[in-house]
Amino acid sequence: MSQLSRLISILTLLKSKRLLTAPELSGRFEVSIRTIYRDIRKLEEAGVPITTIEGRGYSLMEGYTVPPVQFTEKQANALITAQHLVKQTNDTSFVEDFESAITKIKSVFRTSIQEKSELLDSKIHIFNTNYEGISSNALSEIQLAITNLNYVEINYQKVNDTNISFRKIEPYAFYSTNHKWILIAWCHLRNDYRAFRIDRIQHFKILTEAFEDRKFNLQDYFQSCPYNDK
């Protein structure tokens, strides 16, 4: 968990009016007590009124609330435009997860912003002249495998190839080109990095087994072998 994510989580816990101790937070987030002390200091520097009760723990000052997130009209417009761009992807899981997220975000728009965003939504259309009728439903799951370093097993069919091969891979990164999502992964069959079109994955299984991070760098990859195995 990043420091920002941890700070938000600590603030959320403090908002529940609970009294929290440094050892309790340390155990919850699996970091040292010294790290928790630094996190509390960061929150205080950001203006969060944290009360330290000697010998008992931390709490938020009575009456303190976190103001709701507010979006400007331009920020809302950017999200509405992004929603239309996302709809052009050929991965069902990604579109559904984004739609779910954007619905939650829209729920905090002010009424005036909601009305204008709905108007803009009706006035955007994106043409896709290179559309292929091949879709996928794996992107969201494989994204989780990337961030959690989980092995993935796939049955894969290359373009213009009737054969389907079984691969065990270590997923590392994605990029998109011509409305197609490309997965970069270490392939145990080839013993090297390979690029796989998500819509060419016939079947996949996320394993609970985790792999050791090879410290993959996407820019280095593009410079050395930008296209392979698609």
Side-chain angles (χ1 to χ4, degrees):
M1 176 181 287
S2 67
Q3 184 187 44
L4 178 59
S5 298
R6 192 171 61 250
L7 290 174
I8 293 172
S9 296
I10 291 173
L11 181 55
T12 300
L13 290 172
L14 289 170
K15 283 171 57 182
S16 68
K17 308 284 186 190
R18 291 180 55 203
L19 188 66
L20 299 169
T21 66
E24 181 182 1
L25 291 169
S26 172
R28 186 182 187 95
F29 297 107
E30 298 181 342
V31 296
S32 68
I33 291 179
R34 185 182 296 273
T35 296
I36 295 299
Y37 291 157
R38 288 197 294 265
D39 289 344
I40 295 296
R41 190 158 55 248
K42 282 279 187 183
L43 288 171
E44 291 173 333
E45 291 172 355
V48 178
I50 296 176
T51 301
T52 302
I53 303 175
E54 194 66 34
R56 296 183 61 193
Y58 304 107
S59 67
L60 279 179
M61 183 180 295
E62 186 68 29
Y64 175 77
T65 58
V66 179
V69 176
Q70 295 292 336
F71 291 88
T72 66
E73 185 176 347
K74 288 196 297 184
Q75 290 170 337
N77 289 346
L79 288 168
I80 296 301
T81 304
Q83 183 178 19
H84 280 265
L85 293 171
V86 167
K87 288 179 180 178
Q88 299 301 305
T89 186
N90 62 358
D91 189 89
T92 304
S93 64
F94 179 65
V95 173
E96 289 179 348
D97 285 335
F98 187 87
E99 290 290 330
S100 176
I102 203 71
T103 297
K104 293 179 180 179
I105 292 171
K106 287 179 180 178
S107 70
V108 302
F109 285 177
R110 297 192 306 272
T111 301
S112 61
I113 297 294
Q114 285 180 338
E115 292 174 349
K116 291 180 179 179
S117 68
E118 289 172 1
L119 175 62
L120 180 64
D121 187 34
S122 69
K123 295 183 179 297
I124 297 177
H125 183 80
I126 298 174
F127 289 96
N128 182 359
T129 57
N130 296 317
Y131 180 76
E132 280 189 56
I134 304 175
S135 62
S136 61
N137 194 29
L139 186 60
S140 291
E141 292 294 329
I142 295 179
Q143 285 175 333
L144 292 178
I146 289 176
T147 56
N148 290 286
L149 301 178
N150 290 122
Y151 284 108
V152 181
E153 293 178 344
I154 62 173
N155 290 330
Y156 189 73
Q157 183 178 17
K158 295 183 183 179
V159 179
N160 300 322
D161 190 343
T162 58
N163 295 318
I164 297 176
S165 61
F166 171 81
R167 314 286 185 100
K168 183 177 182 180
I169 61 174
E170 301 170 13
Y172 280 102
F174 281 105
Y175 68 90
S176 178
T177 179
N178 296 324
H179 304 288
K180 300 177 183 65
W181 286 101
I182 312 299
L183 168 66
I184 310 300
W186 179 269
C187 177
H188 284 256
L189 179 65
R190 304 300 185 195
N191 199 33
D192 198 358
Y193 290 109
R194 286 292 186 269
F196 301 96
R197 272 180 52 173
I198 297 298
D199 58 5
R200 291 286 171 178
I201 296 177
Q202 303 297 310
H203 176 75
F204 72 95
K205 180 180 180 181
I206 310 297
L207 305 184
T208 56
E209 180 186 4
F211 57 83
E212 185 175 349
D213 191 357
R214 297 177 188 268
K215 307 302 180 184
F216 173 82
N217 183 283
L218 191 57
Q219 295 303 318
D220 290 345
Y221 172 82
F222 283 143
Q223 291 175 4
S224 61
C225 52
Y227 303 103
N228 57 27
D229 224 3
K230 289 181 286 183

